[in-house]
Amino acid sequence: MTRDRSNVTALLDDAPSYSRQNQGGIFVVIKGPDRGEAVRLTGVPVSFGSGPQCSLVLTDKTVSRKHLEAQLTGDEVLMLDCGSTNGSFIQGSRFEKIAIGFGAEVKLGRTVIKFLPDEEIVEPEPSAQASFGSIVGGDTKMRQMFTLLEDVAATTATVLIEGETGTGKELIAEEIHNHSPRKDGPFVVFDCGSVPRELIESMLFGHVKGSFTGAITDRRGAFAEAHGGTIFLDEIGEMALDLQPSLLRVLDKRAVRKVGSNTYEKIDVRVVAATNRDLRAEVAKKAFREDLYYRLAVIRVSVPPLRERGSDIPLLINHFVTGFGPGLTVSTEDMARLVRHSWPGNVRELRNVMERACLLARGSSITVQGSQGPAGRDVRARVHRGPDAAPQDEPLGRRARGPDRPQAPARAYPEVRPRSAAQARR
């Protein structure tokens, strides 16, 4: 017997994991009598006005019959005023012809239209492979991501990687670079969250001698260092709001102006950015620029946390044990304990646990013993040191450090690390 489910409340789907922006965009009326109306811009110009011949017919009496036209020229969107009576305005300034980006708001009469990206949800077929370079994963979400990354790597599109801390966002960015035509160029990592705001423009774009106190020589910025390759902007959500327009200008112009210089220097750089924040929510709170978000999220990749792909844990454990302690084994019971752990630190935490256990092991097996600590999530490994030594419990929540792994010295300034394919981290 089939039950009538017509009155059953439908569940909301999860936010899409992958999306991309199609060429062109969508104009949406956000203010005025026609609020909510929209028109899509593709290869054919679209027009706005009160006349019936317009692509988007407006009932606003202060709008001319053919007031405004939008054209797609290459990757640029041009807005042209068609000799309107009351004019067309952006940010209070009247224009006759102007290039706009996503998030731009145009006022014509009493109507305001907004230009937004034409986003498409992507559901790629799962890859037949359980790895993409040095990234390992057999879960369906991960294999879908591998398919998408393989397609994206061959392009020059800007990529935004979203995910919790420890999910491997930098490794994904590096593999995009290693599988791209730019693989022989530099791969430069720039951590936006660790840079003092007074230095961020200098470190990103460079400076000329004498541009500020302490500028005793010319300096190239991270974008110039990445010329011909890829720049990875880690923790982009931490960048101060007042510094974001400078980055947006570089992304639009593909040129940088050093601090203290009056000229722009052309750059050929692929941009990959990452964040552990929900940038859509940050945009809604006015904590992140909407136009910068759209410029970064040409391809958006959301990395699933480890707790959502528990079937990958045994695969990752075997991968780490093979790398850190060839010949060591983990028992079935202990493997089950590791799978049940919540892993709030994601793959980074699991990697550090297995690295420490392998480094301390002296026998042929690693026995993991579950233990509840103050936070309720401690994991300990009982390391068998040999037939004459009693097993010893070791907490494994942090990366191992010992005589061969001294504490890293504190850095006065963040590090910008250029890399090539030969230097790829494994």
Side-chain angles (χ1 to χ4, degrees):
M1 179 178 177
T2 304
R3 295 176 59 189
D4 179 13
R5 303 183 62 86
S6 59
N7 294 322
V8 176
T9 302
L11 295 175
L12 285 172
D13 292 333
D14 292 336
S17 297
Y18 317 111
S19 65
R20 66 183 173 201
Q21 296 173 4
N22 293 323
Q23 190 177 31
I26 300 175
F27 288 97
V28 180
V29 180
I30 61 171
K31 184 178 181 181
D34 303 289
R35 182 177 178 180
E37 295 294 322
V39 64
R40 179 175 278 102
L41 173 65
T42 54
V44 180
V46 297
S47 55
F48 310 85
S50 58
Q53 77 279 11
C54 292
S55 308
L56 184 58
V57 179
L58 303 171
T59 59
D60 185 350
K61 300 299 183 183
T62 61
V63 171
S64 299
R65 291 184 62 80
K66 187 177 181 182
H67 195 113
L68 187 66
E69 184 176 271
Q71 301 176 355
L72 181 61
T73 307
D75 293 331
E76 194 173 53
V77 176
L78 296 177
M79 303 294 290
L80 299 93
D81 185 86
C82 302
S84 64
T85 302
N86 292 319
S88 304
F89 298 82
I90 285 185
Q91 295 181 346
S93 299
R94 186 167 182 167
F95 67 88
E96 293 183 358
K97 181 179 180 180
I98 192 171
I100 65 168
F102 295 130
E105 297 182 4
V106 183
K107 184 178 181 182
L108 46 161
R110 295 191 180 92
T111 297
V112 178
I113 58 175
K114 187 170 187 175
F115 185 51
L116 298 172
D118 181 11
E119 274 195 330
E120 175 187 2
I121 297 173
V122 180
E123 289 291 341
E125 290 293 322
S127 171
Q129 306 298 320
S131 64
F132 181 72
S134 55
I135 310 170
V136 177
D139 184 84
T140 301
K141 289 183 180 179
M142 293 299 292
R143 290 189 293 114
Q144 283 183 315
M145 186 178 73
F146 295 161
T147 300
L148 178 65
L149 294 180
E150 188 171 1
D151 294 339
V152 168
T155 72
T156 59
T158 304
V159 181
L160 177 64
I161 306 169
E162 298 177 327
E164 296 178 8
T165 298
T167 51
K169 299 185 289 295
E170 181 177 337
L171 190 58
I172 291 172
E174 193 167 354
E175 290 302 338
I176 290 175
H177 171 76
N178 291 337
H179 287 77
S180 75
R182 298 171 176 266
K183 60 185 178 182
D184 294 325
F187 177 75
V188 176
V189 179
F190 187 86
D191 189 345
C192 301
S194 64
V195 182
R197 57 179 299 125
E198 299 83 6
L199 296 176
I200 191 166
E201 286 189 290
S202 170
M203 296 190 68
L204 269 177
F205 314 132
H207 64 253
V208 298
K209 180 180 178 180
S211 55
F212 55 87
T213 302
I216 59 175
T217 184
D218 289 357
R219 176 193 171 100
R220 300 177 71 198
F223 273 97
E225 293 284 349
H227 183 75
T230 303
I231 185 169
F232 175 54
L233 302 176
D234 198 11
E235 301 302 344
I236 189 67
E238 306 299 322
M239 181 175 284
L241 190 61
D242 60 334
L243 297 173
Q244 294 175 18
S246 299
L247 177 58
L248 178 64
R249 192 176 302 112
V250 172
L251 297 179
D252 285 339
K253 291 180 174 291
R254 293 292 166 174
V256 296
R257 182 169 63 88
K258 292 181 177 180
V259 176
S261 175
N262 295 321
T263 59
Y264 280 88
E265 175 186 347
K266 282 289 185 182
I267 53 170
D268 175 23
V269 175
R270 198 228 182 111
V271 178
V272 180
T275 181
N276 59 8
R277 294 178 179 234
D278 182 351
L279 287 190
R280 291 174 183 259
E282 296 297 305
V283 168
K285 294 188 297 185
K286 306 296 184 183
F288 197 85
R289 287 183 64 103
E290 183 179 26
D291 46 5
L292 179 58
Y293 170 76
Y294 291 136
R295 193 65 185 82
L296 292 169
V298 177
I299 302 291
R300 190 179 62 83
V301 178
S302 180
V303 188
L306 189 55
R307 63 180 174 275
E308 292 182 7
R309 51 186 185 104
S311 60
D312 276 349
I313 294 177
L315 182 65
L316 289 165
I317 289 172
N318 291 330
H319 173 73
F320 293 140
V321 170
T322 300
F324 297 130
L328 295 176
T329 60
V330 180
S331 69
T332 303
E333 182 183 13
D334 295 326
M335 184 73 77
R337 287 197 185 107
L338 290 168
V339 170
R340 289 196 300 269
H341 186 58
S342 61
W343 300 111
N346 292 295
V347 180
R348 180 186 292 132
E349 181 186 1
L350 175 60
R351 180 187 186 277
N352 292 348
V353 165
M354 299 313 300
E355 180 180 11
R356 180 179 176 90
C358 290
L359 289 174
L360 295 177
R362 295 295 181 268
S364 62
S365 65
I366 305 170
T367 304
V368 179
Q369 177 181 346
S371 172
Q372 293 293 327
R377 64 190 191 195
D378 189 21
V379 177
R380 296 176 181 266
R382 176 160 291 180
V383 182
H384 290 256
R385 298 182 178 277
D388 300 327
Q392 178 180 345
D393 287 343
E394 297 284 353
L396 300 178
R398 296 178 296 277
R399 181 180 296 274
R401 295 192 185 275
D404 298 327
R405 299 181 62 86
Q407 179 71 34
R411 298 181 187 275
Y413 298 100
E415 183 181 14
V416 177
R417 309 191 299 274
R419 302 180 188 175
S420 63
Q423 299 169 315
R425 174 168 55 81
R426 289 292 179 264

